[in-house]
């Protein structure tokens, strides 16, 4: 991962202060001797690990990989420049074998090496993009699939898309032991057509993902795909409207600095990482309070995404995915483009990822760093004197986008001048649709096109927050509002108190949100206090939640037990890395994950806490979200709660006077 200039900067670099419009800065990537342990692997490091694996005879003639990442637990606090511990998932499909391989990259202290090969159930590794393409081609080449397509009037298989979908929980018993997927099939009428608008009704191939043999073809409906297009390019729906230009200009350059992957802005500092499974990660988030640098988070990431579809249609009932655990956020990360995803003074970070066929590649502009104006931070007008004080809000935004077949997801971490941290998740892209039957009834979804419906579905994002509020040892409490129960303390009937429930151990660590009781959570340091004698802390608020609308005992329900609650808390453990478990693909439903770890009932008071918030949305589709969906925003927020002695943004300067012709600086 490296810092580069914006993709649109193909011409000469601009001089600071010269002209208007976005400008770009080029940072020299850190040399291997300067590389911090939290930084993502470079292509050179991935290449040397892959070379060592390829030299081992047990991987056979056609090895496949599912990523290489830094082994963060073993790497914690290593000095810069030394070799870094890594772990990779390697497959030999010819032998129906897989391993988790550990080793080291080269550094000033060592040469690259491999250490251990731990066997893994060959069905369990995630599906790579390269395997997805091979599976799609196998379906296009299969005579049975071609015949099924021809019955629907489709005679050019090259215009057919096939997406490999998770089959976990729905494996046909006659194919027990095989690494499997099923295919969602789409058709295009020409090369530039939007295939996701034309589902092929009733056609479902079951595929062996090691041999790419088409094991079975389900054919429930031989009707043709819809004739109605669902394209969304400029000009597809008439002339474009006129939009006035809007330029974001910082004449003196950005207000942040980037040193390798260390970012500093407005008292904040943090490091940007990147992994195969989670994509973008923030490390070591700190706030400079006076002359004291205070920690807030050791690590923050979107750890998993679960998307269950709630529709019994034969092409939809199997749709429920762990998009990170079964595919991987890293290789799905999209390249960002200046002027579209980010505006203003931008710094980009590249990310190196490993493809399924042993070849590393670089995602250019994988992470965007920029500042945004965020309207008013605080304001008051003294109507008695006519004096007004106002401060504008600015935030530091760290963002990335992942494209998961039809859907696109933006992840925007923001640091604010008042000490707040928030994550905004932007859902956009194309809704997954199915063909409508002869009666044109969309019972378990919404009709959005002439012959298609968008199924009811949900999106759950399992976050991972390794807390370090004022230090590594923290405690957790749940706070809720209630009416004062003692009438003597409530003579006027309007007394409300905030009730604190300490979460003392993991047996109590599965929590539910409840907006009607103003439920939120407080992470406190166990040693430091503020000027009032209270422990310093941060508040966690989860405004976007939902419940799973599926029958108890269903595959959808048993596959992802973590979505039953909105917050899970556990004590840090090196091997408890992912909320849904290490290998969710084709595993026994619910065998691993945070709901299992909590059975150990470890203490959570004065512990290295790991919080697992679950942000969710129930998507009831609308016709206005077709053929492409305007961004839907959900997220979570962390606010200082007793961390500071007073508002930490009192030192912000007043904004420049407004122009006389508008009289407004809001």
């Amino acid at each position: 991962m490296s810092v580069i200039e914006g993709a649109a900067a193909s011409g000469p670099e601009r001089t600071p202060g010269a002209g208007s419009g976005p400008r770009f800065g080029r940072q020299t990537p850190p040399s291997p001797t300067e590389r911090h342990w939290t930084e993502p692997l470079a292509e050179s490091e991935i290449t040397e690990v892959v070379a060592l694996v390829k030299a081992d005879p047990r991987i056979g003639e056609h090895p496949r990989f599912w990523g290489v990442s830094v082994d963060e637990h073993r790497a914690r606090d290593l000095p810069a420049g030394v070799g870094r511990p890594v772990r990779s998932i390697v497959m030999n499909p010819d032998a129906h074998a897989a391993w988790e391989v550990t080793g080291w990259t080269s550094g000033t202290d060592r040469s690259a090496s491999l250490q251990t090969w731990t066997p893994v159930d060959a069905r369990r590794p995630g599906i790579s993009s390269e395997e997805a393409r091979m599976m799609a081609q196998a379906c296009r080449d299969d005579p049975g699939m071609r015949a099924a397509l021809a019955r629907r009037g489709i005679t050019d298989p090259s215009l057919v898309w096939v997406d490999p979908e998770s089959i976990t929980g729905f494996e046909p018993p006659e194919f027990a032991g095989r690494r499997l997927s099923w295919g969602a099939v789409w058709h295009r009428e020409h090369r530039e057509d939007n295939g996701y608008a034309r589902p092929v009704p009733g056609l479902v191939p079951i595929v062996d993902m090691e041999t790419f043999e088409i094991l079975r073809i389900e054919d429930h409906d031989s009707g043709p795909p819809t004739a109605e297009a669902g394209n969304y390019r400029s000009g597809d729906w008439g002339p474009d409207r006129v939009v006035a230009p809007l330029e974001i200009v910082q004449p003196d350059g950005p207000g942040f600095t980037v040193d390798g992957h260390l970012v500093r802005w407005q008292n904040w500092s943090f490091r940007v990482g990147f992994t195969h499974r989670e994509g973008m990660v923030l490390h070591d988030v700190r706030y400079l309070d006076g002359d004291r640098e205070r920690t807030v988070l050791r690590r923050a990431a979107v750890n998993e995404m679960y998307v269950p579809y709630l529709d019994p249609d034969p092409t939809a009932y199997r749709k429920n995915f762990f998009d990170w655990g079964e595919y991987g956020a890293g290789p799905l990360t999209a390249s960002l483009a200046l002027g579209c995803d980010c505006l203003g003074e931008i710094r980009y970070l590249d990310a190196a990822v490993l493809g399924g066929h042993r070849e590393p590649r670089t995602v250019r502009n994988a992470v965007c760093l920029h500042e945004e104006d965020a309207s008013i931070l605080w304001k008051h007008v003294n109507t008695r004197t006519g004096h007004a004080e106002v401060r504008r809000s600015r935030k530091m935004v760290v963002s990335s986008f992942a494209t998961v077949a039809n859907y696109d997801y933006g992840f925007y971490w923001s640091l604010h001048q008042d000490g707040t941290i928030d994550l905004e998740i932007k859902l956009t892209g194309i809704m997954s649709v199915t063909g409508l039957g002869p009666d044109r009834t969309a019972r378990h979804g919404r009709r959005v096109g002439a012959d298609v419906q968008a199924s009811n579905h949900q999106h759950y994002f399992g976050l991972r927050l390794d807390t370090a509020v004022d230090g590594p040892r923290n405690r957790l409490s749940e706070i809720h509002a209630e009416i004062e129960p003692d009438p003597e303390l409530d003579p006027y009937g309007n007394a409300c108190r905030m009730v604190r429930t300490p979460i003392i151990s993991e047996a109590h660590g599965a929590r539910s949100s409840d907006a009607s009781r103003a439920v939120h959570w407080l992470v406190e340091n166990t040693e430091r206090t503020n000027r009032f004698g209270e422990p310093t802390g941060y508040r966690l608020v989860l405004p976007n939640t939902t419940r799973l609308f599926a029958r108890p005992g269903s595959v959808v329900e048993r596959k992802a037990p973590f979505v039953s609650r909105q917050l899970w808390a556990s004590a840090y453990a090196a091997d408890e890395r992912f909320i849904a478990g290490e290998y969710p693909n084709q595993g026994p439903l619910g065998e691993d994950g945070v709901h299992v770890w909590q059975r150990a009932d470890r203490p959570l008071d004065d512990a290295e806490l790991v919080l697992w918030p679950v942000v969710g949305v129930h998507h009831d589709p609308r016709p206005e979200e077709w053929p492409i969906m305007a961004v839907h925003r959900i997220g979570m927020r962390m606010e200082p709660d007793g961390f500071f002695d007073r508002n930490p943004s009192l030192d912000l300067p007043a904004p420049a006077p407004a122009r006389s012709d508008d009289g407004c600086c809001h």
Side-chain angles (χ1 to χ4, degrees):
M1 196 176 200
S2 60
V3 181
I4 66 166
E5 64 181 330
S10 56
E13 294 187 5
R14 293 180 173 91
T15 303
S20 63
R23 295 184 297 112
F24 314 93
R26 181 183 294 277
Q27 301 286 336
T28 302
S31 69
T33 58
E34 300 170 330
R35 194 169 289 140
H36 192 270
W37 73 266
T38 59
E39 294 182 14
L41 291 173
E43 269 201 42
S44 59
E45 293 176 291
I46 295 174
T47 298
E48 65 184 3
V49 172
V50 169
L52 291 171
V53 173
K54 288 169 61 178
D56 193 292
R58 75 189 86 182
I59 67 169
E61 297 295 322
H62 308 99
R64 301 180 198 165
F65 287 74
W66 199 70
V68 179
S69 293
V70 175
D71 187 335
E72 294 180 12
H73 178 77
R74 292 192 296 150
R76 287 171 85 173
D77 303 322
L78 284 177
V82 303
R84 293 191 288 175
V86 293
R87 55 204 298 171
S88 179
I89 300 170
V90 184
M91 293 164 275
N92 180 346
D94 298 330
H96 190 59
W99 301 267
E100 183 176 297
V101 180
T102 65
W104 289 81
T105 65
S106 61
T108 56
D109 62 330
R110 67 178 69 231
S111 299
S113 63
L114 301 182
Q115 286 185 299
T116 63
W117 290 66
T118 304
V120 174
D121 184 335
R123 301 171 302 160
R124 304 293 292 276
I127 297 171
S128 70
S129 298
E130 290 74 15
E131 288 179 312
R133 286 190 284 271
M134 293 174 71
M135 180 265 209
Q137 190 59 49
C139 290
R140 286 190 287 266
D141 293 341
D142 182 75
M145 281 290 290
R146 287 183 172 228
L149 292 168
R151 288 194 294 272
R152 293 163 168 81
I154 301 171
T155 58
D156 185 354
S158 70
L159 294 174
V160 172
W161 291 345
V162 184
D163 289 335
E165 311 282 19
S166 166
I167 203 169
T168 304
F170 292 105
E171 297 93 334
E174 63 267 36
F175 305 131
R178 295 201 190 212
R179 187 165 179 249
L180 301 173
S181 183
W182 68 275
V185 186
W186 317 89
H187 179 245
R188 295 170 295 159
E189 292 194 348
H190 53 84
R191 298 291 173 188
E192 301 304 321
D193 197 18
N194 173 22
Y196 287 123
R198 303 185 196 271
V200 176
L203 185 58
V204 180
I206 308 295
V207 183
D208 186 309
M209 292 300 290
E210 291 180 320
T211 66
F212 298 109
E213 176 187 359
I214 312 304
L215 301 174
R216 188 170 80 193
I217 298 173
E218 298 178 4
D219 198 341
H220 303 275
D221 179 359
S222 59
T226 180
E228 183 177 85
N231 297 312
Y232 47 86
R233 293 191 176 191
S234 179
D236 282 342
W237 299 94
D240 292 344
R241 71 176 73 178
V242 176
V243 179
L246 175 64
E247 293 186 350
I248 310 298
V249 180
Q250 291 180 270
D252 298 327
F256 60 91
T257 62
V258 184
D259 180 8
H261 291 78
L262 173 63
V263 182
R264 297 186 184 277
W265 175 83
Q266 291 283 305
N267 297 334
W268 287 105
S269 67
F270 57 92
R271 295 181 181 273
V272 180
F274 194 91
T275 73
H276 184 90
R277 183 153 168 175
E278 297 167 299
M280 177 177 63
V281 180
L282 301 188
H283 293 277
D284 198 20
V285 181
R286 298 169 178 250
Y287 191 93
L288 183 62
D289 186 11
D291 59 358
R292 184 158 65 99
E293 200 168 49
R294 304 172 69 184
T295 59
V296 178
L297 291 169
R298 176 184 283 272
R299 189 182 195 278
V302 179
N303 187 256
E304 186 56 274
M305 176 165 56
Y306 182 55
V307 185
Y309 281 75
L310 310 175
D311 183 356
D313 183 273
T315 62
Y317 75 87
R318 297 180 182 92
K319 286 185 181 179
N320 59 97
F321 322 109
F322 289 129
D323 284 313
W324 285 190
E326 292 173 329
Y327 300 95
L332 297 176
T333 296
S335 176
L336 304 175
L338 183 82
C340 296
D341 295 276
C342 305
L343 290 174
E345 284 282 350
I346 300 166
R347 299 296 180 266
Y348 283 121
L349 302 176
D350 287 354
V353 297
L354 178 62
H357 290 162
R358 312 177 298 279
E359 297 299 327
R361 63 181 175 87
T362 294
V363 180
R364 299 276 291 178
N365 301 3
V367 175
C368 176
L369 305 169
H370 74 289
E371 294 174 280
E372 287 186 9
D373 180 85
S375 189
I376 294 301
L377 180 60
W378 53 264
K379 175 178 179 173
H380 181 64
V381 177
N382 186 331
T383 57
R384 293 170 177 82
T385 66
H387 178 74
E389 287 285 343
V390 61
R391 299 295 184 272
R392 291 202 65 80
S393 177
R394 190 180 298 185
K395 62 183 179 180
M396 178 74 207
V397 183
V398 189
S399 63
S400 70
F401 249 92
T403 298
V404 187
N406 54 295
Y407 256 107
D408 298 78
Y409 301 92
F411 303 98
Y412 289 67
W413 290 96
S414 294
L415 306 177
H416 297 258
Q417 293 163 313
D418 64 349
T420 296
I421 302 171
D422 65 47
L423 170 66
E424 183 178 55
I425 302 170
K426 300 181 180 181
L427 293 77
T428 182
I430 305 168
M431 294 186 293
S432 185
V433 295
T434 62
L436 284 172
D439 62 358
R440 298 294 187 267
T441 300
R443 180 174 177 82
H444 302 102
R446 186 76 179 273
R447 186 174 178 176
V448 294
D451 302 293
V452 296
Q453 68 143 354
S455 302
N456 299 328
H457 62 285
Q458 299 179 313
H459 302 261
Y460 292 94
F461 299 87
L463 315 182
R464 175 178 171 176
L465 304 176
D466 293 39
T467 70
V469 175
D470 251 347
R473 314 296 293 186
N474 289 171
R475 67 164 61 97
L476 177 68
S477 296
E478 182 173 286
I479 314 294
H480 73 270
E482 67 177 37
I483 297 171
E484 171 58 58
D486 187 345
E488 293 188 3
L489 299 177
D490 185 18
Y492 309 108
N494 67 334
C496 169
R497 64 177 190 169
M498 302 305 293
V499 179
R500 175 188 298 241
T501 303
I503 312 302
I504 59 175
S505 72
E506 290 178 320
H508 308 279
R511 313 305 301 178
S512 297
S513 183
D514 184 351
S516 70
R517 298 189 302 131
V519 169
H520 57 275
W521 295 273
L522 183 62
V523 181
E524 296 175 316
N525 186 273
T526 55
E527 297 177 353
R528 293 188 180 275
T529 58
N530 57 29
R531 67 177 177 138
F532 306 110
E534 302 169 338
T536 56
Y538 255 78
R539 177 184 301 192
L540 174 65
V541 182
L542 298 175
N544 301 111
T545 63
T546 187
R547 52 156 289 194
L548 181 64
F549 294 97
R551 291 184 187 276
S554 65
V555 169
V556 168
E557 187 262 348
R558 290 184 291 129
K559 183 175 178 178
F562 73 86
V563 306
S564 65
R565 301 297 181 98
Q566 286 74 56
L567 179 67
W568 303 78
S570 65
Y572 174 82
D575 58 346
E576 296 174 359
R577 304 193 302 155
F578 305 111
I579 192 171
E582 195 75 29
Y583 293 99
N585 189 43
Q586 280 195 256
L589 299 178
E591 69 158 357
D592 191 13
V594 67
H595 65 288
V596 175
W597 312 332
Q598 288 193 333
R599 297 170 189 165
D601 197 20
R602 293 163 293 193
L604 296 179
D605 190 5
D606 194 30
E608 282 192 66
L609 282 182
V610 182
L611 301 186
W612 309 86
V614 180
V615 177
V617 59
H618 181 86
H619 193 169
D620 175 13
R622 297 180 290 119
E624 293 85 354
E625 295 174 317
W626 188 255
I628 192 165
M629 188 177 105
V631 163
H632 187 102
R633 294 170 171 84
I634 59 175
M636 73 96 201
R637 186 170 69 255
M638 291 185 68
E639 304 167 332
D641 189 338
F643 190 79
F644 302 105
D645 288 339
R646 55 185 57 81
N647 184 341
S649 65
L650 294 173
D651 59 347
L652 288 177
R659 299 194 312 267
S660 60
D661 57 346
D662 60 32
C664 179
C665 57
H666 290 39

